């Protein structure tokens, strides 16, 4: 696996030179215009990116930062540098609502700087899309933000210099490559809020350099987390009503039903009926799930954001980046069914405004492991600590869930317990590749065959 990843990295590195952005364009020009101060971690990461952009090697960097650590601002500063050096930037988000949210944030800063940002999502009218694509091709759009609609063939840039993909594990390597091919070796920044312990990230994303934002902005409020059993239901419901009376909003997340979307829908609809008719009849309750059309999901999220819905009942669809500052309660039903990293992602949906926020984990089961996991959630808000614990308590197979694009399951190795062997493997792989970059020597013939059989097909997923 290590050799396969290193080969992938080398194939990026050995391609023709990347873009060398000018040293005369300073990120500090935009940093000074921001309405808040950057944290030291953000400044450090920007310095790493700035150095990458000014070198003639293509940048391939993974930016890890906990929920709410301010990754979007990093993307803005990098995009600013690209545009001021005469290039265009593409920002790719996994959902239309997230792309729209990015556009709002970008416009607040860039409209004053005379940098033109536009949005491309599949819900646009044909006429509007044609007009937008024409302007993109002519270079009249500086920053294009969108969903995987950006990957379509008819999307042509005049001079693409920077590609940012948000929530990497939702886009496979293949999709990343498709957008990169729309420019002449543009720089690539991949962002994720799924914290992976650093050593593991270095090993799993061997084809990328890694930056980590490991501190939260000073205005982020700590979210109080409580783990409760079914007996507390009435108290919890009363507590939710008190918050709603004060004008807040709540999320209620349904449990995952064993890999069965039909049952998932039933559990959402059942809970929705119960909340709407029995528990919260005086409030506006809505539900959302993965089987809905993208447009319907976006409409409901928009209504929730605009305070037209009090309680949103959902499957885990809502775990990615949507900002609803007025929502301050997250209730997770059957929390024992979720991994810690996922619980942490879900919890990050609240605590985004000025209000004290709460996360309530309802769980069943008396097992030692369940109690340990609930305890971790109540004791820390640090995604990196949580991901370490998650790996330790659940093993690596489950841990990767959605992220294992093209990475095989290991039959014997446990990525957490066998980290030392993994490091040795990585060092050995580096030595082999240094001596024989394309694995052409006779002694490496078997290794080369193994990589071809095991990984090449997969890594293109």
């Amino acid at each position: 696996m290590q050799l396969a990843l290193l080969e992938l990295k080398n194939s990026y590195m050995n391609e023709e030179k990347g873009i060398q952005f000018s040293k005369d364009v300073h990120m500090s020009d935009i940093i000074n215009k921001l309405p808040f101060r950057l944290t030291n971690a953000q400044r450090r990461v920007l310095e790493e990116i700035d150095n990458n952009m000014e070198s003639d090697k293509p940048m391939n960097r993974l930016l890890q930062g906990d929920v709410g650590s301010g990754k979007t601002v990093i993307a803005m500063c990098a995009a600013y540098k690209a545009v001021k050096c005469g290039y265009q930037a593409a920002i790719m988000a996994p959902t239309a609502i997230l792309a729209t949210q990015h556009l709002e944030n970008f416009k607040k800063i860039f409209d004053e700087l005379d940098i033109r940002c536009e949005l491309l999502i599949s819900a646009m009218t044909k006429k509007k899309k044609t007009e937008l694509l024409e302007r993109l091709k002519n270079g009249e759009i500086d920053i294009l933000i969108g969903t995987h609609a950006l990957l379509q063939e008819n999307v042509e840039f005049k001079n693409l210099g920077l590609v940012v993909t948000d929530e990497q594990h939702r886009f496979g390597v293949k999709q990343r490559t498709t957008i990169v091919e729309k420019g002449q070796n543009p720089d690539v920044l991949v962002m994720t809020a799924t914290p992976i312990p650093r050593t593991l990230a270095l090993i799993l994303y061997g084809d990328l350099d890694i930056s980590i934002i490991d501190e939260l902005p000073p205005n982020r409020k700590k979210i109080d987390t409580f783990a409760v059993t079914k007996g507390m239901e009435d108290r919890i419901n009363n507590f939710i009503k008190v918050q709603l009376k004060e004008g807040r909003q709540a999320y209620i997340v349904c449990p995952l039903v064993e890999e069965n979307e039909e049952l998932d829908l039933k559990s959402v609809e059942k809970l929705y009926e119960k909340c709407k008719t029995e528990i919260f009849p005086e409030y506006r309750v809505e539900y959302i799930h993965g089987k809905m059309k993208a447009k319907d999901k976006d409409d409901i999220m928009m209504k929730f954001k605009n305070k037209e819905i009090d309680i949103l009942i959902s499957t885990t669809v809502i775990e990615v980046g949507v900002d609803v500052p007025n929502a301050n309660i997250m209730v997770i039903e059957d929390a024992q069914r979720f991994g810690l990293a996922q619980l942490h992602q879900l919890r990050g949906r609240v605590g985004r405004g000025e209000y004290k926020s709460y996360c309530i984990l309802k769980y069943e089961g008396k097992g030692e492991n369940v109690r340990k996991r609930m305890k971790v959630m109540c004791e820390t808000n640090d995604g990196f600590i949580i991901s370490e614990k998650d790996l330790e308590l659940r093993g690596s197979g489950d841990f990767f869930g959605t992220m294992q694009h093209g990475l095989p399951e290991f039959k014997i190795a446990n990525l957490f317990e066998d980290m030392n062997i993994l490091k040795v493997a990585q060092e050995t792989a580096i030595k082999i590749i240094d001596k024989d970059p394309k694995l052409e020597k006779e002694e490496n013939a078997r290794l080369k065959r193994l990589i071809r059989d095991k990984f090449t097909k997969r890594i293109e997923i």
Side-chain angles (χ1 to χ4, degrees):
M1 183 187 89
Q2 286 306 307
L3 279 169
L5 285 169
L6 286 170
E7 263 206 317
L8 203 59
K9 187 171 191 165
N10 282 351
S11 67
Y12 289 147
M13 289 304 198
N14 295 337
E15 282 167 16
E16 65 269 35
K17 282 188 159 53
I19 298 163
Q20 195 164 5
F21 292 91
S22 165
K23 286 182 161 60
D24 299 333
V25 173
H26 303 294
M27 287 187 184
S28 53
D29 296 345
I30 183 172
I31 293 171
N32 297 334
K33 288 199 163 52
L34 295 171
F36 46 81
R37 284 193 55 168
L38 293 186
T39 61
N40 292 333
Q42 284 171 315
R43 286 178 185 276
R44 188 188 66 242
V45 167
L46 278 175
E47 201 171 312
E48 292 168 351
I49 290 171
D50 207 19
N51 291 337
N52 274 161
M53 290 179 79
E54 288 173 5
S55 98
D56 62 0
K57 286 197 171 69
M59 166 165 82
N60 263 300
R61 187 167 283 282
L62 173 71
L63 173 60
Q64 278 192 289
D66 214 339
V67 182
S69 59
K71 293 182 295 294
T72 315
V73 176
I74 304 284
M76 276 183 195
C77 297
Y80 171 83
K81 178 151 184 132
V83 170
K84 285 295 179 194
C85 290
Y87 292 88
Q88 291 165 300
I91 317 281
M92 195 159 78
T95 62
I97 186 154
L98 205 57
T100 310
Q101 188 174 290
H102 280 330
L103 182 78
E104 286 169 19
N105 291 331
F106 271 63
K107 280 180 96 59
K108 276 180 207 152
I109 306 290
F110 285 128
D111 279 359
E112 294 173 27
L113 299 168
D114 214 26
I115 289 175
R116 297 152 301 186
C117 304
E118 292 283 353
L119 181 70
L120 176 64
I121 49 179
S122 39
M124 287 165 70
T125 61
K126 200 169 173 206
K127 186 175 171 229
K128 207 170 166 194
K129 202 176 273 182
T130 312
E131 186 216 318
L132 183 138
L133 292 176
E134 193 55 40
R135 289 173 45 228
L136 183 70
K137 204 171 154 182
N138 297 337
E140 294 167 42
I141 294 173
D142 300 311
I143 300 173
L144 184 63
I145 299 171
T147 52
H148 43 262
L150 295 187
L151 301 172
Q152 288 160 357
E153 258 174 53
N154 58 353
V155 178
E156 289 178 57
F157 290 82
K158 183 180 182 189
N159 195 7
L160 179 62
L162 174 73
V163 173
V164 180
T165 60
D166 196 4
E167 286 306 327
Q168 148 65 13
H169 57 275
R170 310 223 160 197
F171 300 109
V173 174
K174 199 78 175 152
Q175 288 174 305
R176 229 164 61 203
T177 319
T178 308
I179 183 124
V180 165
E181 283 164 359
K182 293 182 181 291
Q184 287 292 305
N185 248 2
D187 279 2
V188 178
L189 179 65
V190 167
M191 306 198 295
T192 178
T194 309
I196 308 170
R198 189 182 177 105
T199 33
L200 195 55
L202 286 168
I203 287 164
L204 287 176
Y205 289 103
D207 60 320
L208 300 165
D209 293 315
I210 293 180
S211 289
I212 293 183
I213 308 182
D214 49 11
E215 62 179 305
L216 289 182
N219 58 346
R220 291 286 296 190
K221 291 211 170 22
K222 181 179 175 297
I223 300 160
D224 284 354
T225 304
F226 303 97
V228 300
T229 50
K230 289 275 187 262
M232 301 276 280
E233 201 136 295
D234 291 343
R235 278 181 66 182
I236 299 298
N237 292 339
N238 289 333
F239 178 67
I240 294 172
K241 285 176 186 167
V242 169
Q243 295 295 319
L244 295 176
K245 279 200 181 83
E246 288 180 11
R248 301 293 74 76
Q249 291 159 283
Y251 291 101
I252 300 179
V253 177
C254 275
L256 291 161
V257 179
E258 300 304 317
E259 294 303 309
N260 183 329
E261 292 199 354
E262 296 310 311
L263 291 177
D264 265 349
L265 303 194
K266 284 208 175 70
S267 72
V268 169
E269 285 163 8
K270 205 164 114 190
L271 189 61
Y272 165 72
E273 284 305 325
K274 192 177 172 189
C275 287
K276 198 177 165 63
T277 53
E278 294 172 37
I279 312 174
F280 305 106
E282 67 274 41
Y283 293 102
R284 296 164 300 178
V285 183
E286 273 298 345
Y287 70 91
I288 184 172
H289 56 70
K291 271 283 183 73
M292 288 177 162
K293 289 197 181 95
K295 187 181 180 307
D296 297 341
K297 279 194 285 209
D298 288 343
D299 287 349
I300 287 178
M301 282 313 301
M302 265 335 215
K303 277 187 169 163
F304 190 56
K305 199 175 167 154
N306 297 333
K307 303 182 190 171
E308 294 163 37
I309 294 171
D310 301 308
I311 299 173
L312 184 61
I313 294 171
S314 162
T315 52
T316 53
V317 220
I318 51 133
E319 72 178 274
V320 177
V322 180
D323 247 342
V324 183
N326 189 49
N328 74 330
I329 292 194
M330 164 67 67
V331 178
I332 301 173
E333 302 279 338
D334 281 333
Q336 77 281 358
R337 295 194 185 179
F338 296 88
L340 296 186
Q342 197 170 23
L343 289 174
H344 179 63
Q345 287 286 310
L346 289 165
R347 168 167 69 183
R349 297 301 101 232
V350 294
R352 295 182 160 241
E354 73 239 50
Y355 309 107
K356 178 88 198 98
S357 293
Y358 307 91
C359 174
I360 296 158
L361 305 170
K362 290 184 178 173
Y363 74 96
E364 282 181 20
K366 296 191 163 53
E368 180 62 17
N369 205 328
V370 170
R371 279 209 299 276
K372 268 189 189 162
R373 289 171 52 218
M374 294 303 131
K375 190 167 178 257
V376 171
M377 290 304 298
C378 296
E379 284 175 358
T380 179
N381 273 284
D382 182 322
F384 288 96
I385 294 175
I386 288 169
S387 71
E388 296 254 345
K389 284 284 179 206
D390 205 14
L391 253 181
E392 206 176 308
L393 293 168
R394 292 206 303 161
S396 57
D398 286 349
F399 177 79
F400 291 103
T402 52
M403 279 169 30
Q404 232 158 348
H405 278 317
L407 288 176
E409 288 287 331
F410 292 100
K411 288 192 175 64
I412 300 173
N414 170 325
L415 288 179
F416 191 76
E417 290 164 10
D418 302 326
M419 186 69 81
N420 295 337
I421 301 175
L422 201 42
K423 281 184 186 157
V424 174
Q426 187 174 46
E427 285 158 16
T428 313
I430 290 170
K431 280 182 192 149
I432 294 172
I433 289 276
D434 280 348
K435 286 187 188 143
D436 183 9
K438 295 197 167 137
L439 299 181
E440 290 162 327
K441 293 183 179 162
E442 184 55 39
E443 68 212 58
N444 296 325
R446 266 190 73 197
L447 282 172
K448 186 163 188 154
R449 266 203 313 280
L450 270 171
I451 290 172
R452 291 291 160 270
D453 297 348
K454 245 183 164 30
F455 295 95
T456 316
K457 295 181 193 69
R458 298 200 178 213
I459 285 185
E460 286 181 352
I461 286 175

